[in-house]
Amino acid sequence: MLGGMQATTAIPEIEFQDVSYRVAGTQVLSGFNLQVQSGETLVLLGRSGSGKTTLLKLVNRLLTPSSGDIRVKGLSNAKADVIGLRRSIGYVIQDVGLFPHFTVERNIGLVPRIGGWPEDRIRARVQELLQLVGLAADLASRYPHQLSGGQRQRVGVARALAADPEILLMDEPFGALDPLTRDELQREFLALQQRLHKTVVFVTHDLREALRLGTRIALMEAGRLVTVLTPREFLQSSDPLASAYVRAFGEGLESAANRGTS
Amino acid sequence: MNVFRYIWQNQGQVLELTLEHLRLVGFSTLFAMLAGIPLGIVIARRPRWNKPVLASANIIQTIPSLALFGFLLPVPWLGERSERLAILALTLYALLPIIRNTYTGIRGVDPAVVEAGRGMGLTESQLLFQVELPLAVSVILSGVRVAVVISVGLATIAAAIGAGGLGEFIFRGLAMVDNRVILAGAIPAAVLALTADFGVGWLERRMQTR
């Protein structure tokens, strides 16, 4: 929980070492190096097809790199037990992927349940998480199709947090939401992150979101890392791609950057 | 109508042949499910096997049923008792809809759900039994429903090789050129088919998850 305080430890929470990923003759990632520090929110920013999602899936080994190594807490994840690795990492995707035949309670409690937690502890944990993500306790018995898009993604976040993982991978989690709900969830994410200090890798193509939520922003293009900058640095960057992003998003970015780092 | 009088007068035999018919259909459907559902799961996991498996099941369907009964007749253990043989032939016919629907049902599960499950650390078997199969069950059952209805009809032909069932009335009626006797087999068979269709259909709707 105090991950943010332990920035002095030299071992990064997640480390990409010269990672390449190739599939069916297409080079999706090449020579990718990046370190994610404990307790930070690292945003992967880039256009569609730049390799952001692939990078995320390499962390929990939904994909295996063609070459290079990914270390989680200093351990190569090629050597880790895949199932255990995945259970120790929260995963949130844009389409949420709630189990339609499970109630909210069973969706959120799934990882604790397969991890063998006792029933009463699971129930207590589910209630705690519903509160944490701003959902009413009586939603626990509903099914996903009875929820709004925003509620569904809140459940998705609660489910990812269920077994209290230190790392959270979020793949455009708010991308499919309407602007108001997105704004609400972004604000809640910031509040949540101030309490929990998870190590978050967050994929988006929305610069405003990146500036607002990110501790640092890793800018990607065509499977390569262009640069890693803090939100403030990003706005002043002379990097052509970064400044192209800033121009494309126009006015009012300053306030987003300030909110994110405050 | 005198058809119904005929059925009434021969109710003992109608009942007996109906039960025989049910046995043929019941066992063959059971065996087809035991073989077809795992096969469907396998080809859903390994799309490379999809074509050969479905093509084989398809080819079986194209063999005329009388011919299939005939082909199987000389097979040693099977040929000894025509009932075994009929059950095997009916099982083979029931395979295609069951394999195909199992495959379709599993492939039809929302990819985001499967990805989320895998990403959360479900093992492949947890994913299968807790997510994919429960979500595919109504599609699988609709395949079973098709298989049962086909089997009820085909099982009448099993009487041609002496395996019993309601086909006995039909063949006897054909030989006697007596429509009453034909209908004494055909009507209960139709009722069986409709009942099975309705029953499995009801189960299918009960199992619907969304």
Side-chain angles (χ1 to χ4, degrees):
Chain A
M1 291 296 253
L2 298 174
M5 308 291 182
Q6 293 163 351
T8 44
T9 51
I11 302 172
E13 194 80 356
I14 305 167
E15 186 173 16
F16 298 91
Q17 295 178 336
D18 206 23
V19 171
S20 293
Y21 182 76
R22 209 176 305 109
V23 67
T26 313
Q27 192 76 28
V28 184
L29 288 172
S30 28
F32 198 96
N33 287 291
L34 181 66
Q35 297 188 343
V36 186
Q37 302 304 330
S38 175
E40 78 168 328
T41 302
L42 184 106
V43 175
L44 297 172
L45 178 71
R47 58 179 111 201
S48 317
S50 59
K52 313 183 291 290
T53 296
T54 305
L55 209 58
L56 214 57
K57 289 182 177 175
L58 288 168
V59 178
N60 62 4
R61 268 189 62 195
L62 286 174
L63 298 173
T64 314
S66 312
S67 66
D69 196 13
I70 296 114
R71 289 173 176 272
V72 177
K73 289 178 208 174
L75 283 167
S76 167
N77 78 352
K79 297 186 188 96
D81 154 49
V82 189
I83 299 299
L85 177 84
R86 288 176 187 162
R87 287 182 193 170
S88 71
I89 297 176
Y91 187 47
V92 185
I93 56 179
Q94 179 174 354
D95 298 321
V96 198
L98 293 184
F99 304 115
H101 58 310
F102 283 1
T103 58
V104 167
E105 149 127 53
R106 283 195 68 190
N107 264 288
I108 298 177
L110 183 63
V111 175
R113 188 162 282 123
I114 58 182
W117 291 25
E119 277 306 310
D120 50 341
R121 193 168 150 223
I122 296 173
R123 212 163 308 125
R125 180 67 179 153
V126 169
Q127 287 304 325
E128 183 189 353
L129 285 161
L130 282 173
Q131 203 177 15
L132 192 70
V133 299
L135 288 173
D138 62 335
L139 287 181
S141 57
R142 301 265 186 96
Y143 283 89
H145 72 253
Q146 299 168 310
L147 306 177
S148 72
Q151 287 173 327
R152 247 176 260 164
Q153 196 50 284
R154 283 186 166 93
V155 175
V157 173
R159 182 175 68 172
L161 290 170
D164 202 19
E166 285 168 48
I167 299 172
L168 214 51
L169 305 175
M170 306 182 86
D171 193 353
E172 300 197 40
F174 311 140
L177 302 174
D178 65 86
L180 285 179
T181 310
R182 189 189 309 145
D183 180 68
E184 228 172 84
L185 276 160
Q186 286 173 349
R187 203 171 327 128
E188 285 168 23
F189 171 83
L190 283 173
L192 210 63
Q193 182 59 347
Q194 286 207 330
R195 282 176 61 187
L196 302 179
H197 299 292
K198 301 289 181 193
T199 306
V200 181
V201 184
F202 191 109
V203 164
T204 185
H205 51 66
D206 178 352
L207 176 59
R208 206 174 293 274
E209 186 170 66
L211 292 169
R212 189 176 186 184
L213 304 184
T215 316
R216 290 189 300 154
I217 300 169
L219 185 60
M220 292 180 66
E221 176 78 353
R224 288 177 189 281
L225 181 63
V226 178
T227 178
V228 187
L229 301 164
T230 66
R232 272 168 228 266
E233 288 167 351
F234 197 101
L235 288 176
Q236 271 118 48
S237 171
S238 57
D239 179 272
L241 187 65
S243 45
Y245 256 99
V246 173
R247 274 199 308 282
F249 276 82
E251 300 297 308
L253 290 174
E254 288 288 347
S255 61
N258 290 332
R259 224 179 322 185
T261 48
S262 64
Chain B
M1 235 170 93
N2 43 11
V3 175
F4 293 107
R5 194 181 309 143
Y6 180 84
I7 293 176
W8 181 252
Q9 281 160 357
N10 295 278
Q11 52 177 299
Q13 204 187 2
V14 171
L15 192 68
E16 187 188 324
L17 292 179
T18 304
L19 288 177
E20 264 179 34
H21 207 89
L22 268 176
R23 265 169 58 91
L24 293 176
V25 172
F27 277 113
S28 60
T29 307
L30 182 71
F31 294 147
M33 283 170 75
L34 287 177
I37 293 174
L39 263 173
I41 292 169
V42 168
I43 61 171
R45 288 290 160 103
R46 291 177 215 286
R48 199 177 308 166
W49 296 359
N50 161 22
K51 284 238 167 75
V53 170
L54 284 179
S56 315
N58 228 327
I59 288 168
I60 295 172
Q61 292 267 305
T62 64
I63 304 173
S65 45
L66 261 179
L68 185 60
F69 288 129
F71 286 145
L72 293 172
L73 214 43
V75 180
W77 182 80
L78 281 175
E80 280 165 34
R81 283 187 52 190
S82 46
E83 195 185 25
R84 286 176 193 160
L85 195 153
I87 288 174
L88 175 68
L90 292 174
T91 302
L92 291 174
Y93 282 119
L95 275 177
L96 180 67
I98 293 176
I99 297 175
R100 194 176 43 201
N101 278 47
T102 304
Y103 171 79
T104 314
I106 289 182
R107 296 310 304 261
V109 174
D110 181 357
V113 170
V114 176
E115 196 200 310
R118 198 169 274 138
M120 288 165 69
L122 293 187
T123 62
E124 286 302 304
S125 75
Q126 286 167 337
L127 200 60
L128 180 67
F129 289 106
Q130 295 188 28
V131 180
E132 290 175 305
L133 281 179
L135 290 174
V137 75
S138 71
V139 181
I140 296 173
L141 279 177
S142 90
V144 172
R145 189 158 59 101
V146 172
V148 169
V149 174
I150 292 176
S151 293
V152 171
L154 279 178
T156 56
I157 298 171
I161 54 159
L166 290 162
E168 296 234 333
F169 274 126
I170 297 175
F171 281 107
R172 199 184 304 160
L174 283 170
M176 294 161 65
V177 201
D178 186 340
N179 279 344
R180 287 180 318 167
V181 184
I182 295 178
L183 286 172
I187 292 173
V191 171
L192 270 188
L194 287 172
T195 310
D197 189 42
F198 179 81
V200 185
W202 177 80
L203 204 63
E204 197 183 312
R205 280 189 302 278
R206 280 286 311 270
M207 296 290 199
Q208 203 109 45
T209 42
R210 268 163 287 186

